[in-house]
Amino acid sequence: MTKKQLEESSLYLRNKGFESPEIGILLGTGLGRLVDEIESSVVAHYHNIPFFPLATVEFHSGKLIYGILENKKVVVMQGRFHVYEGYEFDDVTYPIRVMRELGIKKLFISNAAGAINLNFKKGDIMLIEDHINLQGGSPLAFKNVADFGVRFVDMSQPYDMEMCAKMKEIAVRESITLHSGVYASVVGPQLETKAEYRMLKTIGADAVGMSTVPEVIVANHLNLPVVAVSVLTDECDPNNLQPVNINEIIRIAGETEPKMIKLFMELIREL
Ligand code: HPA
């Protein structure tokens, strides 16, 4: 990755009409319908954006959508890149750098995750207040990282406290159950064993998923305030573990999505 590539990616998007977006939004698996709320939208398909990571079959539909949401200019990534698809960490996080290059001032992230904390139920939402990186690598571990910012990025407060506080207020006002907790990111794509769920609980995780942490690390590298939520799609009880059902996970994500959309839209309105 070079600065020139980032500039070319963002120039292409600017020429298409992606003019000074304020907020970037990254939507997780089964959580893409927020884009239906966007007005005056412009769409760019990932495969047409110069230097965007090369698509896999699954990614033919990946797109960036620019438009107006709650009177704010937003750019939304519908479909993200995962390490489990064979992408490198700098591929996974390249779009975050492009959105920053376009001018975003805040980043919103959602994902689908399993509940490790068994006080949390499937269909609940968890505000991510901290994380544990179990992906075995870093999006900042490359030779010319110094061209893009500092190497030793502070992670003492990776999620923006002001946006977190506002989102909690909104949840109370809207009567939406919003837990807070620690998100552990694994590579996947296999789900976890019972022993792994026990370990995750022991080390302090409240939820587990296969995304988000690389993007949050890069957001911190870019001094970009970030807020992130997990839609809890399954309960990871090692003493009563049911075989995973991906269709069920996607169904629960879809059912819970309207609450996530409400939280995001209200927070965007208040910013
Ligand atoms: N583990 C990892 N990723 C997930 C899970 C899980 O239990 N549920 C949804 N995404």
Side-chain angles (χ1 to χ4, degrees), residues 139-168:
L140 305 183
F142 59 96
K143 284 182 184 148
N144 59 334
V145 70
D147 295 347
F148 296 88
V150 297
R151 188 181 293 273
F152 300 103
V153 174
D154 177 55
M155 293 295 281
S156 58
Q157 186 63 60
Y159 298 86
D160 185 69
M161 280 164 77
E162 206 182 309
M163 286 200 285
C164 285
K166 278 210 173 106
M167 191 170 279
K168 287 182 192 173

Side-chain angles (χ1 to χ4, degrees), residues 112-115 186 190-192 197 208-210 233-234 236 249:
V186 294
Q190 75 285 352
L191 279 290
E192 290 71 35
Y197 284 134
V208 58
M210 303 172 191
T233 53
D234 52 314
C236 309
I249 286 182

Side-chain angles (χ1 to χ4, degrees), residues 66-92:
Y66 170 88
I68 308 293
L69 190 62
E70 297 291 354
N71 285 317
K72 304 270 189 341
K73 293 182 211 158
V74 300
V75 54
V76 181
M77 277 182 75
Q78 198 178 27
R80 59 148 63 88
F81 300 96
H82 298 90
V83 176
Y84 67 68
E85 294 165 298
Y87 293 103
E88 303 294 333
F89 285 102
D90 58 347
D91 293 329
V92 171

